[in-house]
């Protein structure tokens, strides 16, 4: 104890001496390396090894003496990050450092926060694990759960792809790889993925072709030619919609209309809501492209959908709540000229900021600043 106390005091005295601290680091590393090398079959050695830093070699150089890859150190560190982890030993799951490493590896300090990148390395990690092990269960569950709860737009794709690959497929035994999931929970997850998979950022959501307020004219958003189209799902009886809709109208009339942005609204128009829907549009001068699943269309489609599909519309339009994952209203989505989804679950303030950015109007005065009280209230909905 006295020896350790003296070493600690020496370290305090020399904390500003880089050579001394460098030697201390080398001594610690060499001690750990000796422990791991001479006791490689012991659990404590595996724990120590898991905490050791990866030594990055010097970058390969070309004939001109310059590194062939300017990001060699990063790429090497990323690709060898788990070299010191024995994934065959489930006991390591009980050591906090394992979760820390997992969290660090997929975090923004290590990896580009892009769903395609996260998915690539999530698959790479999980595919190498024993599919019957606790290690597999933990890694798959942690990754799936983490990105299911993510508030970052587009990261829900990681959840969807993880679920499709490790929960909703069948292994050689004809069972789900997620052996730890009860059947009812597995079905709930599968149903949730089924609803979410049609609105992945970068994909084309289904076309919506429904009738306008005349209940005779069919309109769809795929046929629109402008650079951007806003899809707005709303309900004339929804309190939150009554707060959001006037702001969207103001933004459209004062900014977006002259910029050639379309607003295609899909309203709830079944039953008594049909009259309310038409009245709200007229009373509030909603000069958008307004369509809805009307009562007459709904009832006729229930009897015989083939009367309308595919001549006038599609199944997705008649079931748009399902295909656009509409858990609540209002919902604002944005698609580009190719009808690929570029944003979803936006507030009006976020919508304004996004389109100002996309249309090179970054310095334009904001009608609805992000972070304002009403924006925060809308975001909470």
């Amino acid at each position: 104890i006295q020896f350790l106390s003296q070493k600690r005091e020496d370290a305090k005295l020399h904390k500003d001496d880089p050579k001394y601290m460098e030697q201390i680091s080398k001594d610690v590393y060499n001690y750990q390396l000796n422990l791991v090398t001479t006791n490689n079959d012991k659990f404590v050695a595996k724990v120590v090894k898991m905490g050791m830093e990866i030594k990055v070699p010097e970058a390969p150089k070309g004939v001109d003496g310059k590194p062939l890859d300017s990001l060699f150190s990063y790429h090497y560190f990323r690709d060898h990050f788990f070299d010191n982890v024995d994934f065959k030993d489930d006991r390591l799951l009980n050591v906090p450092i394992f979760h820390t490493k997992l969290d660090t590896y997929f975090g923004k300090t290590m990896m580009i926060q892009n769903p395609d990148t996260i998915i690539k390395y999530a698959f790479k990690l999980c595919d190498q694990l024993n599919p019957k092990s606790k290690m597999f269960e933990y890694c798959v569950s942690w990754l799936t759960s983490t990105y299911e709860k993510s508030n970052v737009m587009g990261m829900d794709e990681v959840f969807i792809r993880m679920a499709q690959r490790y929960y909703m497929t069948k292994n050689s035994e004809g069972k789900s790889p997620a052996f730890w999931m009860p059947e009812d929970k597995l079905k709930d997850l599968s149903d949730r993925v089924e609803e979410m998979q049609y609105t992945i950022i970068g994909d084309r959501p289904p076309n919506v072709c429904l009738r306008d307020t005349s209940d005779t004219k069919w309109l769809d958003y795929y046929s629109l030619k402008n650079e951007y189209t806003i899809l707005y799902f709303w309900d004339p009886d929804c309190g939150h919609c009554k707060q959001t809709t006037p702001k969207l109208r103001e933004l459209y009339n004062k900014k977006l209309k002259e910029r050639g942005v379309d607003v295609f609204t899909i309203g709830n128009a079944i039953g008594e809501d049909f009259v309310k829907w038409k009245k709200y549009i007229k009373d509030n001068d909603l000069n958008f492209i307004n369509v809805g699943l009307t009562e007459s269309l709904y009832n006729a489609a229930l009897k015989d959908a083939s009367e309308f599909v595919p001549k006038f519309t599609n199944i997705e339009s008649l079931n748009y709540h399902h295909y656009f994952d509409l858990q609540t209203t209002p919902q604002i989505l944005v698609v580009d000229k190719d009808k690929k989804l570029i944003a979803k679950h936006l507030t009006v303030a976020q919508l304004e900021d996004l389109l100002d950015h996309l249309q090179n109007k970054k310095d334009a005065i904001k009608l609805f600043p992000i972070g304002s009280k009403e924006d925060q209230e809308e975001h909470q909905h």
Side-chain angles (χ1 to χ4, degrees):
I1 295 177
Q2 185 176 359
F3 172 78
L4 292 176
S5 297
Q6 184 61 51
K7 284 291 184 181
R8 188 161 48 245
E9 292 301 318
D10 290 345
K12 290 180 181 178
L13 291 173
H14 296 87
K15 65 180 181 178
D16 297 324
D17 182 348
K19 290 185 178 180
Y20 180 86
M21 298 309 294
E22 182 180 358
Q23 186 58 49
I24 288 291
S25 296
K26 287 181 180 179
D27 291 344
V28 170
Y29 178 79
N30 289 331
Y31 177 83
Q32 291 176 328
L33 186 61
N34 178 65
L35 176 66
V36 169
T37 303
T38 57
N39 301 275
N40 61 357
D41 59 334
K42 299 293 192 297
F43 179 64
V44 66
K46 293 181 180 182
V47 173
V48 171
K49 184 178 181 180
M50 185 167 60
M52 294 177 67
E53 292 186 5
I54 298 296
K55 294 295 182 180
V56 180
E58 185 177 352
K61 297 178 180 178
V63 292
D64 58 358
K66 296 181 179 179
L68 296 174
D69 179 4
S70 61
L71 295 176
F72 173 81
S73 294
Y74 165 72
H75 291 150
Y76 185 93
F77 188 66
R78 180 197 61 197
D79 294 341
H80 294 268
F81 187 81
F82 290 114
D83 281 5
N84 289 337
V85 179
D86 184 358
F87 285 111
K88 295 179 180 179
D89 196 330
D90 287 344
R91 293 177 298 174
L92 293 178
L93 294 174
N94 299 313
V95 182
I97 193 174
F98 179 83
H99 175 80
T100 300
K101 288 185 76 71
L102 203 59
D103 195 41
T104 299
Y105 185 69
F106 288 99
K108 60 183 179 180
T109 58
M110 171 66 68
M111 195 166 291
I112 297 173
Q113 294 302 289
N114 173 284
D116 289 342
T117 301
I118 300 294
I119 291 166
K120 173 183 175 180
Y121 288 98
F123 286 0
K124 183 178 180 181
L125 171 65
C126 296
D127 285 352
Q128 69 172 306
L129 305 176
N130 177 354
K132 300 294 185 182
S133 67
K134 286 291 183 181
M135 188 69 72
F136 177 78
E137 175 184 347
Y138 182 85
C139 291
V140 169
S141 297
W142 182 83
L143 282 161
T144 306
S145 175
T146 296
Y147 291 99
E148 179 184 18
K149 296 180 292 188
S150 175
N151 292 322
V152 179
M153 188 190 304
M155 283 301 175
D156 55 342
E157 183 180 0
V158 181
F159 162 70
I160 292 169
R161 302 308 183 201
M162 288 292 296
Q164 290 173 334
R165 190 179 185 91
Y166 299 109
Y167 292 82
M168 299 168 66
T169 54
K170 300 292 184 182
N171 57 25
S172 59
E173 300 171 355
K175 299 179 180 179
S176 166
F179 59 85
W180 58 91
M181 284 281 283
E183 286 296 324
D184 59 333
K185 299 297 182 183
L186 195 59
K187 184 181 185 306
D188 290 344
L189 182 143
S190 299
D191 290 345
R192 185 75 189 104
V193 170
E194 170 65 24
E195 294 173 341
M196 296 174 65
Q197 65 180 330
Y198 302 103
T199 53
I200 293 174
I201 298 294
D203 288 356
R204 294 181 79 192
N207 192 12
V208 175
C209 186
L210 291 170
R211 292 171 175 170
D212 68 0
T213 54
S214 71
D215 204 10
T216 58
K217 185 178 180 180
W218 296 88
L219 300 172
D220 76 287
Y221 81 89
Y222 268 24
S223 63
L224 301 177
K225 304 302 181 183
N226 278 328
E227 189 176 14
Y228 299 106
T229 300
I230 297 164
L231 303 180
Y232 181 58
F233 296 90
W234 66 294
D235 185 328
D237 245 0
C238 163
H240 298 319
C241 298
K242 291 176 181 178
Q243 294 177 354
T244 300
T245 306
K247 291 190 289 184
L248 180 60
R249 177 192 60 201
E250 182 178 353
L251 178 62
Y252 176 69
N253 287 330
K254 292 184 176 180
K255 269 192 177 184
L256 304 183
K257 186 177 181 180
E258 65 181 23
R259 292 191 201 168
V261 176
D262 286 312
V263 177
F264 187 90
T265 79
I266 304 94
N268 183 21
I270 295 177
E272 295 180 357
D273 286 328
F274 177 68
V275 175
K276 295 177 182 178
W277 172 62
K278 290 180 63 174
K279 185 176 188 303
Y280 191 96
I281 290 172
K282 181 179 180 180
D283 291 349
N284 293 275
D285 191 25
L286 299 187
N287 55 335
F288 308 139
I289 303 169
N290 298 292
V291 302
L293 180 58
T294 64
E295 179 79 359
S296 60
L297 174 58
Y298 177 75
N299 288 331
L302 279 179
K303 292 180 180 179
D304 184 11
S306 63
E307 181 182 347
F308 307 101
V309 179
K311 184 177 180 180
F312 298 108
T313 186
N314 53 41
I315 290 296
E316 291 85 355
S317 297
L318 299 176
N319 296 278
Y320 71 85
H321 278 89
H322 171 77
Y323 285 95
F324 284 85
D325 189 26
L326 298 181
Q327 304 293 316
T328 60
T329 53
Q331 290 291 343
I332 297 175
L333 291 74
V334 182
V335 298
D336 64 14
K337 59 180 173 43
D338 298 317
K339 303 305 177 278
K340 291 183 178 180
L341 186 63
I342 58 177
K344 58 183 177 179
H345 307 317
L346 299 175
T347 64
V348 173
Q350 291 170 332
L351 172 66
E352 178 183 18
D353 186 69
L354 172 69
L355 289 172
D356 280 352
H357 179 81
L358 291 173
Q359 296 187 304
N360 296 316
K361 304 287 185 181
K362 300 177 186 178
D363 297 328
I365 296 175
K366 295 292 186 288
L367 301 175
F368 305 99
I370 286 182
S372 63
K373 182 179 179 181
E374 63 176 1
D375 176 51
Q376 292 177 354
E377 290 174 349
E378 187 181 347
H379 195 63
Q380 290 173 356
H381 299 160

